[in-house]
């Protein structure tokens, strides 16, 4: 291991750049989602549901990587705003199934367009998106393995 990482300035730390990029993505998506009354975490829930609708809260929680305690207030706000419906499962009365509403189906294209406009405005054309995404996925897999090993 290259121990010089411990003497680098803040601006030369990978963790700091990832932190700043994460905040930047949150702000960018926040601008795009504001007209729809959505937050970035709410959008992540909708993305998961657009992939697979009519699922248990636990499925969404596991997929996004949020605890159910964090997820419940997000889902409650989405339900109150008419984006989703929450119904007790017929199979397991302790479980809740989340389903997209007509509103969320109808607004998907408009939301996607608003996000695309923000991405275009950020001019990320010089970034190799596939390579960057693959690098982040590899990094997250390593973090997941560390979590599993520590349990």
């Amino acid at each position: 291991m290259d121990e010089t990482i411990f003497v680098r300035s803040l601006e030369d730390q990978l963790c700091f750049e990832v932190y700043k990029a994460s905040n930047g993505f949150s702000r960018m998506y926040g601008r795009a989602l504001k007209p729809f009354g959505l937050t970035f975490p709410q959008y992540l829930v909708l993305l998961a549901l657009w992939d697979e609708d009519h699922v248990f809260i636990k499925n969404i929680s596991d997929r996004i990587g949020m605890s159910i305690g964090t997820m419940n207030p997000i889902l409650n706000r989405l339900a109150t705003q008419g984006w989703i419906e929450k119904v007790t499962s017929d199979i397991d009365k302790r479980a809740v199934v989340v389903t997209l509403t007509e509103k969320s189906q109808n607004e998907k294209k408009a939301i996607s367009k608003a996000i695309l406009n923000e991405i275009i405005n950020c001019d990320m054309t010089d970034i190799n998106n596939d390579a960057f995404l693959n690098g982040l996925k590899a990094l997250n897999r390593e973090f997941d393995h560390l979590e599993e090993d520590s349990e």
Side-chain angles (χ1 to χ4, degrees), residues 120-131:
I120 290 169
N121 288 337
C122 286
D123 190 23
M124 293 188 280
T125 54
D126 291 341
I127 297 173
N128 182 328
N129 290 327
D130 290 336

Side-chain angles (χ1 to χ4, degrees), residues 46-55 59-60 63 98 100:
L46 290 177
L47 275 178
L49 289 167
W50 284 325
D51 282 348
E52 183 180 6
D53 195 9
H54 198 74
V55 295
N59 295 75
I60 301 168
R63 184 130 185 249
V98 181
L100 292 168

